[in-house]
Amino acid sequence: DTEVTQTPKHLVMGMTNKKSLKCEQHMGHRAMYWYKQKAKKPPELMFVYSYEKLSINESVPSRFSPECPNSSLLNLHLHALQPEDSALYLCASSQDQVGGREQFFGPGTRLTVL
Amino acid sequence: QKEVEQDPGPLSVPEGAIVSLNCTYSNSAFQYFMWYRQYSRKGPELLMYTYSSGNKEDGRFTAQVDKSSKYISLFIRDSQPSDSATYLCAMPNTGGFKTIFGAGTRLFVKA
């Protein structure tokens, strides 16, 4: 299985809602990533987990809260988002965080904040 | 100056053309180079992965790295309408903890 899955595919939420994005991989990868991608822009790194520990937080606002319950799962909890947070949220995984590892991306969750 | 520069296009070519996509980078310590293809409203898909200088071929795709010029290329032979997508170059930064992406080049192949 060489796939990264993400749910839901689409999400519409109000600014007062709380929701979660989920990501799963069964490739035995020990590094997992959250990216945000706006239209016609490259992916922007948000968080990196390595061996289930948060290793990089790219100064992301606290309304985004990541969680890695086990080596196969990655969640992104959303609370009190702003309309400018509307974007495609991508999860990726790699064998580990050693330099040069290829990252495999999921299909993304398209988030709209009203 | 950005660490990785890539012309965002769009680039429009007729079916069957040879396509050349390019990126330049500023950090001579970069050693690994990747090309991702991203279809509209989908996640990026790893297309080619190269280490150090030289060429790598996979079917209609050839990745080329010139470390002396800090220049990488992706060539697509016999381009097809199904190749219409955004192509992102990417390279792990020094230490490898982050991947730096180019802006992505939007390619349109006309039937």
Side-chain angles (χ1 to χ4, degrees):
Chain A
D1 185 356
T2 58
E3 202 180 12
V4 177
T5 58
Q6 288 187 246
T7 54
K9 286 188 167 48
H10 303 275
L11 179 62
V12 179
M13 60 187 290
M15 289 192 284
T16 57
N17 292 157
K18 283 185 185 182
K19 296 284 185 186
S20 297
L21 309 184
K22 295 187 185 307
C23 173
E24 194 166 0
Q25 57 87 15
H26 294 289
M27 294 179 275
H29 288 175
R30 303 313 300 268
M32 295 185 78
Y33 310 76
W34 279 116
Y35 287 88
K36 173 183 177 179
Q37 188 178 28
K38 298 283 250 183
K40 298 183 183 177
K41 296 289 185 187
E44 230 178 278
L45 184 65
M46 299 174 72
F47 302 103
V48 182
Y49 273 83
S50 179
Y51 290 85
E52 295 138 66
K53 287 188 167 45
L54 183 66
S55 68
I56 295 179
N57 175 343
E58 288 288 282
S59 304
V60 178
S62 60
R63 56 186 185 268
F64 295 92
S65 174
E67 179 197 18
C68 189
N70 62 53
S71 60
S72 301
L73 289 174
L74 187 65
N75 298 322
L76 186 63
H77 303 297
L78 314 172
H79 173 53
L81 294 193
Q82 304 296 308
E84 60 265 28
D85 296 321
S86 298
L88 181 68
Y89 287 84
L90 294 161
C91 174
S93 71
S94 63
Q95 186 176 343
D96 51 41
Q97 216 179 343
V98 169
R101 299 297 195 200
E102 308 98 291
Q103 292 183 26
F104 296 87
F105 284 83
T109 293
R110 186 156 299 279
L111 174 68
T112 302
V113 182
L114 301 175
Chain B
Q1 183 192 7
K2 288 184 185 174
E3 282 191 282
V4 178
E5 300 269 10
Q6 184 178 10
D7 185 340
L11 179 61
S12 184
V13 301
E15 183 175 358
I18 296 174
V19 176
S20 171
L21 305 167
N22 310 295
C23 288
T24 58
Y25 61 95
S26 57
N27 190 336
S28 57
F30 288 166
Q31 295 185 72
Y32 301 90
F33 306 93
M34 300 167 214
W35 285 95
Y36 286 88
R37 177 176 62 195
Q38 186 172 23
Y39 290 113
S40 183
R41 305 177 89 81
K42 302 286 187 189
E45 167 196 9
L46 183 64
L47 203 55
M48 298 287 280
Y49 173 85
T50 53
Y51 170 69
S52 197
S53 281
N55 289 2
K56 182 176 180 180
E57 194 173 315
D58 184 0
R60 295 184 295 112
F61 299 90
T62 299
Q64 196 172 75
V65 175
D66 181 349
K67 291 193 77 180
S68 61
S69 304
K70 300 198 202 64
Y71 190 85
I72 66 171
S73 300
L74 178 71
F75 298 96
I76 307 174
R77 287 185 299 282
D78 186 26
S79 55
Q80 303 294 310
S82 58
D83 295 327
S84 298
T86 296
Y87 291 81
L88 296 139
C89 62
M91 44 204 87
N93 70 344
T94 309
F97 299 131
K98 287 174 59 173
T99 295
I100 312 295
F101 286 89
T105 300
R106 286 184 295 145
L107 172 67
F108 297 95
V109 181
K110 299 171 292 185

